[in-house]
Amino acid sequence: MVGARIEQPIGVFDSGVGGLTVLKALQRRLPLEDFLYLGDTARLPYGTKSAQSITRYALQAATLLVRQPVKLLVIACNTASSVALPALHELFHPLPIIGVIGPGAEASCKASVSGAIAVIATESTVRQGAYNDAISRIRPDASVISVACPLFVALAEEGWVDGPLVEGIIARYLQPLLIVPKPHRIDCLVLGCTHFPVLSEAIANVVGTEIALVDSAETTAVAVEDKLRSEGLLHDSGRKAGSVHFFATDGADRFARVGGIFLDKPISPADVEIVDL
Ligand code: DGL
């Protein structure tokens, strides 16, 4: 890409702290890279908003990161990926931009034996049908059923990730998927929202061991590595561990407190810069 340099950071964006599950996988796979993470916490949730609003928010958030500048942008939000990727590509061409839907679809097609796949996501991602399209492109024989689980975002943002109350809410959303008899019974459940991996233990307790849970974090990190390598922008040696800088649009304390659960390491409120988009 014109002007992109290897020493520039990678920009990562989500509506809140959910994308930190993707950042965690990115840092593990690409330990030498620097990252800028932006959580649009003032406007969360995106998943209940219209496609127009989500696209506008995503373009504003991406603009802040692109101006830093970054060498690659990761849309670590299924909702923004399913709605706004074409507009982002158009506006920021030729910057490499990677969303999480394609990598998540790829992971589910690998994990499912029967091809009966369920996707749980926000209302907007379900309405958009982006997973159905991406999965059937890779595996035309697959049957995909999508269920919106908007309350999971609130639970995750609140840091409520386990216990009987949480499992009760999960069961209420997922029960219809679990009573489908074989051979149509699903064998793979896609966590199609970057907020959901922190609930994966509670979800596994509800769905049992015969259904594989997949999320897009690892496959997205592989896609980012491949892209950086092919563009000649990958840090692969001769450098100390990379850094991370956090931006949020509201609530540094809350971002740090809940974000630590998602990233699996403590975040100090002093390290969270509040920005206006
Ligand atoms: N983390 C976002 C996603 O992956 C959704 C959260 C929200 O509704 O803002 O879809």
Side-chain angles (χ1 to χ4, degrees):
M1 151 201 185
V2 184
R5 293 194 314 271
I6 198 166
E7 63 274 16
Q8 289 171 345
I10 296 167
V12 182
F13 152 66
D14 179 45
S15 57
V17 289
L20 293 170
T21 57
V22 178
L23 179 64
K24 183 170 125 187
L26 286 165
Q27 285 188 304
R28 210 170 26 223
R29 186 154 199 107
L30 304 166
L32 304 181
E33 300 293 341
D34 295 325
F35 292 94
L36 299 178
Y37 181 92
L38 168 61
D40 191 6
T41 42
R43 298 188 291 198
L44 175 114
Y46 279 16
T48 51
K49 311 257 161 50
S50 67
Q52 283 102 315
S53 295
I54 297 164
T55 303
R56 183 158 50 85
Y57 295 169
L59 292 175
Q60 289 170 347
T63 300
L64 178 127
L65 291 170
V66 170
R67 282 193 184 141
Q68 298 303 312
V70 293
K71 62 181 173 183
L72 181 144
L73 190 59
V74 180
I75 310 304
C77 175
N78 289 268
T79 307
S81 298
S82 67
V83 174
L85 259 187
L88 288 162
H89 278 301
E90 194 179 304
L91 188 64
F92 298 114
H93 177 81
L95 178 73
I97 302 177
I98 295 193
V100 284
I101 304 267
E106 204 184 294
S108 71
C109 291
K110 277 197 194 124
S112 174
V113 177
S114 69
I117 298 171
V119 180
I120 53 173
T122 65
E123 283 171 61
S124 172
T125 301
V126 169
R127 197 173 50 230
Q128 212 61 27
Y131 268 103
N132 301 52
D133 295 348
I135 291 172
S136 36
R137 263 197 303 275
I138 305 170
R139 192 166 167 176
D141 65 310
S143 70
V144 185
I145 167 161
S146 301
V147 179
C149 302
L151 268 188
F152 290 10
V153 176
L155 289 174
E157 283 280 330
E158 194 58 25
W160 288 18
V161 296
D162 55 16
L165 207 60
V166 171
E167 287 182 19
I169 294 170
I170 293 170
R172 173 93 188 250
Y173 279 110
L174 302 191
Q175 212 53 46
L177 295 175
L178 304 178
I179 55 176
V180 177
K182 285 183 177 168
H184 301 293
R185 176 133 196 235
I186 59 157
D187 70 350
C188 175
L189 181 65
V190 183
L191 308 183
C193 171
T194 54
H195 279 71
F196 295 178
V198 291
L199 295 165
S200 57
E201 233 174 88
I203 294 172
N205 288 343
V206 172
V207 303
T209 49
E210 284 180 20
I211 298 177
L213 299 187
V214 303
D215 69 64
S216 45
E218 293 303 329
T219 29
T220 299
V222 173
V224 170
E225 182 179 21
D226 290 348
K227 188 70 187 171
L228 288 177
R229 182 169 286 118
S230 72
E231 301 274 331
L233 292 170
L234 183 72
H235 274 301
D236 49 10
S237 63
R239 185 171 200 264
K240 285 203 283 237
S243 64
V244 59
H245 184 82
F246 300 104
F247 298 105
T249 48
D250 193 31
D253 286 338
R254 186 182 174 82
F255 182 98
R257 178 167 47 81
V258 184
I261 303 172
F262 285 71
L263 192 59
D264 225 0
K265 44 176 127 122
I267 298 172
S268 160
D271 293 334
V272 183
E273 183 181 341
I274 299 297
V275 287
D276 192 3
L277 302 178

